[in-house]
Amino acid sequence: MSKQQLQQAVQEQPGYSTWLPFCQLLPKVELHAHLNGCVRASTIRELVHSQQLSSLSEADIERITSTGHRSLADCFVLFDAVHQLTTKHDTITRITREVIEDFAAEQTTYLELRTTPKDRPEHGISKRSYMAAVLAGIQQARQAQPAAGMLVKLLLSIDRRNDAAAAMDTVALAIKLMPAGVVGVDLSGNPSVGSWATWLPALQHARQAGLKVTLHAAEVANYEETHAMLDFAPERLCHMCVLDEALQQRLWASNIPVELCLTSNVKTNSVPGYVDHHFKQFYAAGHPVVLCTDDSGVFGTTLSQEYAIAAASFGLEQQQLIELAARAVEYCFCSEQEKQKLRQQVLDFREAWQQQQQQQQQNVAPT
Ligand SMILES: CNc1ncnc2c1ncn2[C@@H]1O[C@H](COP(=O)(O)O)[C@@H](O)[C@H]1O
Ligand SMILES: [Zn+2]
């Protein structure tokens, strides 16, 4: 995080900075990170200069690398600009490795990275070769610390711009790549585009093949679609920002875990501010939630930062943050055996933390 970003975060949440060191040590799972939204600003600058993209002006570059507030519509223009830079297999491999390294550097024990396989014949890229490049990046990251100990799984995203055939093709690829670590599919992209009926057959096919499904839902008001998504009953949902009373009741009755991305929602103005975020309501109702980053590059955040902001905004204690991290493990799409290892990592942390608390109490207790 740059000094300017840090100052902004501290200003927005006065208690935030005191929480960050604890949150950086906490073993966390990241379940909602879009590959091309997580590209480092330094890498974007380097790619712009090395590719000499005349179509991108300095103002465009500034816009891409700035992490301030922007409308959701602007975000999708921005993603297309980032996609202009990630047009080589080597680059796709590189950004995958870097994103994994960045998460691993802040005690992320498990990363479910999602990306949209792309057919880009003008650049010699097919959906299959795109995914081969992503897998090469995962392989590279595994070979060195700090990422060597982190478990990485993949979700393939269906873009809402996709037609039924393209969605089905992505699912076919996801099925083929299950042995390589693909555990599910995601529906994402501009929430104002497309209609649910288009992707439903592909999502049903994914489910039949044993893939898990997570859906970007209610990022903007679309009650009819959100009801249809709840009818489908995916294993997880993302965002759920704009619900009416009926949807809220249905969601809570469903007990479907929701991936919540505080900074993403605040910076796209999907919610008015951190303290107003529906995390508070969901958490108070005991609904399963998991804190995630969404697009760490585009929104200038980290997973530790999201936990710290949640602590500062909603008055969570350290014990509650550990609990939040522990429960998140239960919503991962990996195997039970893999979850067992992740649970143990949180338990070990809790034990060390409890010992430290006891020592502190002994030190202040009168003799
Ligand atoms: C901010 N909220 C959001 N809402 C919906 N979709 C989003 C998103 N943030 C990212 N994406 C989806 O992820 C793609 C970039 O990563 P990949 O090219 O797949 O690696 C975007 O083009 C969009 O489809
Ligand atoms: Zn997302």
Side-chain angles (χ1 to χ4, degrees):
M1 195 174 17
S2 71
K3 194 173 166 193
Q4 190 199 358
Q5 287 162 358
L6 183 66
Q7 278 170 350
Q8 191 186 339
V10 172
Q11 274 165 15
E12 284 177 18
Q13 292 305 325
Y16 151 85
S17 57
T18 54
W19 286 99
L20 197 54
F22 176 83
C23 296
Q24 281 165 338
L25 288 176
L26 184 66
K28 301 168 289 294
V29 301
E30 170 61 84
L31 303 186
H32 188 142
H34 299 269
L35 175 60
N36 280 273
C38 295
V39 184
R40 294 175 186 164
S42 56
T43 299
I44 288 187
R45 288 198 167 273
E46 204 186 307
L47 291 172
V48 169
H49 292 298
S50 68
Q51 294 182 18
Q52 296 174 336
L53 280 175
S54 51
S55 58
L56 288 179
S57 66
E58 270 304 317
D60 287 330
I61 300 168
E62 190 50 44
R63 215 163 42 86
I64 296 171
T65 52
S66 122
T67 56
H69 290 242
R70 49 170 71 90
S71 73
L72 203 48
D74 270 356
C75 274
F76 294 101
V77 176
L78 205 61
F79 290 127
D80 285 343
V82 175
H83 291 148
Q84 276 190 57
L85 298 169
T86 53
T87 51
K88 290 186 183 143
H89 291 113
D90 281 0
T91 308
I92 296 159
T93 298
R94 172 189 172 170
I95 62 167
T96 306
R97 177 178 49 76
E98 289 181 348
V99 168
I100 294 171
E101 285 171 354
D102 290 347
F103 277 106
E106 52 154 351
Q107 276 299 321
T108 308
T109 53
Y110 174 81
L111 169 64
E112 245 169 54
L113 188 61
R114 63 187 73 189
T115 193
T116 321
K118 294 162 186 76
D119 266 323
R120 310 185 75 179
E122 71 281 21
H123 297 293
I125 293 182
S126 67
K127 283 185 178 181
R128 276 130 189 97
S129 71
Y130 176 92
M131 285 313 302
V134 170
L135 290 169
I138 297 176
Q139 199 52 40
Q140 281 184 9
R142 273 203 192 114
Q143 281 156 10
Q145 291 291 352
M150 185 173 74
L151 191 56
V152 181
K153 300 285 177 183
L154 286 169
L155 305 178
L156 299 202
S157 299
I158 296 170
D159 188 320
R160 295 180 63 111
R161 286 178 292 196
N162 289 164
D163 62 18
M168 199 55 99
D169 187 40
T170 295
V171 169
L173 182 56
I175 296 168
K176 190 170 159 237
L177 293 178
M178 285 169 80
V182 173
V183 289
V185 293
D186 156 55
L187 175 70
S188 52
N190 191 334
S192 312
V193 171
S195 69
W196 171 248
T198 309
W199 319 294
L200 181 59
L203 294 168
Q204 283 166 333
H205 185 51
R207 171 171 278 170
Q208 279 156 10
L211 287 161
K212 302 276 191 339
V213 177
T214 181
L215 302 173
H216 280 64
E219 205 171 0
V220 298
N222 190 341
Y223 300 148
E224 199 182 325
E225 180 184 90
T226 311
H227 273 293
M229 288 178 167
L230 284 170
D231 290 342
F232 178 77
E235 279 72 23
R236 294 199 310 254
L237 290 157
C238 328
H239 298 306
M240 300 302 268
C241 301
V242 192
L243 304 177
D244 62 9
E245 188 55 33
L247 279 167
Q248 178 116 31
Q249 292 309 323
R250 273 198 77 184
L251 173 65
W252 288 354
S254 76
N255 223 32
I256 297 173
V258 183
E259 305 155 14
L260 293 177
C261 311
L262 306 179
T263 299
S264 164
N265 295 157
V266 169
K267 289 200 171 174
T268 57
N269 306 318
S270 301
V271 299
Y274 286 114
V275 291
D276 310 298
H277 196 280
H278 45 293
F279 173 94
K280 188 178 179 179
Q281 218 182 345
F282 286 22
Y283 185 77
H287 191 82
V289 293
V290 49
L291 289 172
C292 304
T293 53
D294 212 4
D295 301 288
S296 54
V298 168
F299 299 121
T301 192
T302 64
L303 189 53
S304 308
Q305 194 174 319
E306 294 302 296
Y307 273 79
I309 289 172
S313 305
F314 310 114
L316 304 181
E317 309 268 335
Q318 288 185 345
Q319 174 63 38
Q320 289 171 299
L321 290 178
I322 299 173
E323 204 44 52
L324 212 51
R327 268 188 272 146
V329 170
E330 305 309 318
Y331 318 139
C332 298
F333 288 168
C334 60
S335 71
E336 187 52 36
Q337 201 185 356
E338 288 163 331
K339 276 188 194 174
Q340 198 46 43
K341 190 175 161 211
L342 302 174
R343 284 185 195 116
Q344 193 57 50
Q345 285 166 324
V346 185
L347 283 175
D348 290 346
F349 178 85
R350 180 185 280 147
E351 202 181 294
W353 174 80
Q354 280 168 342
Q355 277 171 9
Q356 184 234 21
Q357 296 286 301
Q358 280 165 7
Q359 267 168 16
Q360 269 181 7
Q361 277 169 10
Q362 281 164 7
N363 290 345
V364 295
T367 48

